[in-house]
Amino acid sequence: MIENILFDEISLALNNSDVCITGVNYYEDLNSIVIGFEHRWLYTNSNVKTSLVDSVFIANSVIVTHQDEFAGKKIVFTGSAPKRNGKGDQKLVKIFQTEIAFDDALYVNWDELNDQGGQNKLNSTSFEYVWWHSDLFNRI
């Protein structure tokens, strides 16, 4: 299945990252592929946004090599990270989501964005929207 292949390829590409891939699911009724990421550290970590955005760019550089499977589909990325409450207990919370049309993703040089400061280009790179957890809204 293409989901398993994509999972393995993205996992390999993210090998030295603070972010790991947690799943790849295709939803035929939505014509979308959803890719889940998890940041390994608390979402209050100073590099959480940068790490997630860099992971999206890295994943897209892998995804666009599968034109036959994903042409005409939407690619949705979600990101989660552990959050600690006042008692010290941790739970996983959703902190990020974005979406791009695969056909638009073909026209972006993703490898060029895989550098320091690439996260500042997220909003201007053909994404439909970018959602951050409110605690991270003002953090770059």
Side-chain angles (χ1 to χ4, degrees):
M1 282 180 95
I2 188 62
E3 292 98 320
N4 295 335
I5 293 168
L6 202 55
F7 184 93
D8 291 343
E9 289 177 353
I10 294 172
S11 292
L12 185 60
L14 294 175
N15 191 30
N16 294 320
S17 174
D18 287 339
V19 176
C20 63
I21 187 170
T22 58
V24 176
N25 297 293
Y26 174 63
Y27 297 95
E28 189 172 341
D29 56 330
L30 301 174
N31 200 31
S32 298
I33 185 120
V34 178
I35 299 169
F37 292 126
E38 182 180 324
H39 196 275
R40 301 176 195 272
W41 311 111
L42 292 175
Y43 83 102
T44 53
N45 185 293
S46 62
N47 75 340
V48 68
K49 285 180 79 174
T50 301
S51 296
L52 282 169
V53 170
D54 289 347
S55 297
V56 168
F57 293 157
I58 290 167
N60 269 318
S61 66
V62 171
I63 293 166
V64 296
T65 65
H66 296 279
Q67 188 168 354
D68 293 339
E69 293 91 345
F70 298 121
K73 296 176 178 40
K74 294 279 186 183
I75 307 166
V76 179
F77 296 95
T78 63
S80 302
K83 178 181 181 181
R84 185 175 290 143
N85 66 17
K87 296 179 182 179
D89 299 327
Q90 288 188 25
K91 67 177 184 175
L92 200 61
V93 295
K94 180 179 171 182
I95 60 172
F96 170 74
Q97 185 166 325
T98 192
E99 176 181 311
I100 188 169
F102 179 83
D103 297 340
D104 291 340
L106 289 173
Y107 298 101
V108 177
N109 182 348
W110 296 104
D111 294 327
E112 181 180 287
L113 297 175
N114 289 330
D115 62 1
Q116 189 71 333
Q119 69 274 7
N120 295 326
K121 301 173 187 172
L122 184 65
N123 286 317
S124 63
T125 315
S126 301
F127 287 91
E128 300 286 328
Y129 63 89
V130 179
W131 175 85
W132 291 104
H133 189 284
S134 60
D135 290 348
L136 299 170
F137 188 75
N138 292 320
R139 187 183 300 178
I140 294 289

